[in-house]
Amino acid sequence: MNHWSFGKIFGKISYRDFLKMADSFYNVLYLQYPEEDLRVSVIFYKEIPHSVSAPEDGILEWVERENKGKELARITKTKGLPYFPQELFDSAVNVYLFVETKGGSIACIEAKGLLPRHIVFSVWTEKGTQVQSLCTGKYRPSPLLFYRGNGEEHLHACSLS
């Protein structure tokens, strides 16, 4: 699994920042998976979602139910990024963007949440190293506006079981 992040030097991650980085991320993934129909889901949370790193029996189902109840909205689109209004982004406490193939989720972006100046990227496939290399190199956001994070930031509540 590959994780990396960027922190905004001044201010919080904005709607425009999120869209720009999500577009770059999607395009890099599309280059790596040209034969796949990439499905993108954006989930807006009204409360901070939770995850568990080492789940015990039944805990994943409970976390999933809890997080479902915290959803403000979910927008999904195949082939391209779904449109959503700035008001929805601004009213959300936490925002996730998931990219899936027919085989399941392959990558995500998380913004806002506990560290609103950060945006965290994750890729769970063997192509994660190439995606990370492109997103932190050729397609990196402006170093005048964003610094490279350590990739270990959590923007949601994460429990270690």
Side-chain angles (χ1 to χ4, degrees), residues 93-108:
V93 172
N94 190 275
V95 179
Y96 270 96
L97 180 143
F98 285 97
V99 181
E100 301 173 285
T101 64
K102 291 177 186 164
S105 291
I106 60 168
C108 83

Side-chain angles (χ1 to χ4, degrees), residues 113-131:
L114 299 174
L115 299 169
R117 296 171 85 120
H118 291 259
I119 186 164
V120 179
F121 300 80
S122 301
V123 180
W124 304 295
T125 68
E126 71 284 346
K127 296 183 181 184
T129 304
Q130 296 97 312
V131 173

Side-chain angles (χ1 to χ4, degrees), residues 47-107:
E47 297 176 41
I48 300 289
H50 196 89
S51 71
V52 179
S53 62
E56 298 172 16
D57 289 341
I59 196 74
L60 282 180
E61 294 81 9
W62 179 82
V63 168
E64 191 174 313
R65 278 193 314 273
E66 287 291 309
N67 287 344
K68 189 77 170 158
K70 296 176 180 182
E71 283 185 24
L72 182 63
R74 180 184 294 244
I75 301 170
T76 302
K77 182 179 179 190
T78 302
K79 295 184 182 177
L81 294 175
Y83 168 78
F84 54 88
Q86 181 172 348
E87 294 78 25
L88 184 57
F89 181 85
D90 291 346
S91 65
V93 172
N94 190 275
V95 179
Y96 270 96
L97 180 143
F98 285 97
V99 181
E100 301 173 285
T101 64
K102 291 177 186 164
S105 291
I106 60 168

Side-chain angles (χ1 to χ4, degrees):
M1 182 173 354
N2 291 74
H3 291 290
W4 67 97
S5 60
F6 293 104
K8 192 166 184 182
I9 294 171
F10 301 107
K12 299 174 182 178
I13 298 294
S14 69
Y15 174 72
R16 182 172 283 176
D17 297 330
F18 185 82
L19 289 180
K20 195 171 188 180
M21 286 191 246
D23 186 53
S24 290
F25 187 62
Y26 176 84
N27 288 328
V28 168
L29 286 168
Y30 185 76
L31 290 172
Q32 298 297 316
Y33 295 91
E35 70 286 350
E36 295 277 354
D37 286 332
L38 299 179
R39 179 178 159 186
V40 179
S41 296
V42 184
I43 305 170
F44 302 89
Y45 289 98
K46 58 187 172 192
E47 297 176 41
I48 300 289
H50 196 89
S51 71
V52 179
S53 62
E56 298 172 16
D57 289 341
I59 196 74
L60 282 180
E61 294 81 9
W62 179 82
V63 168
E64 191 174 313
R65 278 193 314 273
E66 287 291 309
N67 287 344
K68 189 77 170 158
K70 296 176 180 182
E71 283 185 24
L72 182 63
R74 180 184 294 244
I75 301 170
T76 302
K77 182 179 179 190
T78 302
K79 295 184 182 177
L81 294 175
Y83 168 78
F84 54 88
Q86 181 172 348
E87 294 78 25
L88 184 57
F89 181 85
D90 291 346
S91 65
V93 172
N94 190 275
V95 179
Y96 270 96
L97 180 143
F98 285 97
V99 181
E100 301 173 285
T101 64
K102 291 177 186 164
S105 291
I106 60 168
C108 83
I109 301 173
E110 183 182 10
K112 298 186 83 170
L114 299 174
L115 299 169
R117 296 171 85 120
H118 291 259
I119 186 164
V120 179
F121 300 80
S122 301
V123 180
W124 304 295
T125 68
E126 71 284 346
K127 296 183 181 184
T129 304
Q130 296 97 312
V131 173
Q132 181 177 2
S133 178
L134 287 167
C135 288
T136 58
K138 183 177 181 180
Y139 298 103
R140 183 195 194 290
S142 169
L144 298 173
L145 301 174
F146 294 91
Y147 61 90
R148 176 87 188 265
N150 65 15
E152 299 301 319
E153 298 93 342
H154 289 285
L155 308 185
H156 62 277
C158 182
S159 298
L160 304 173
S161 306

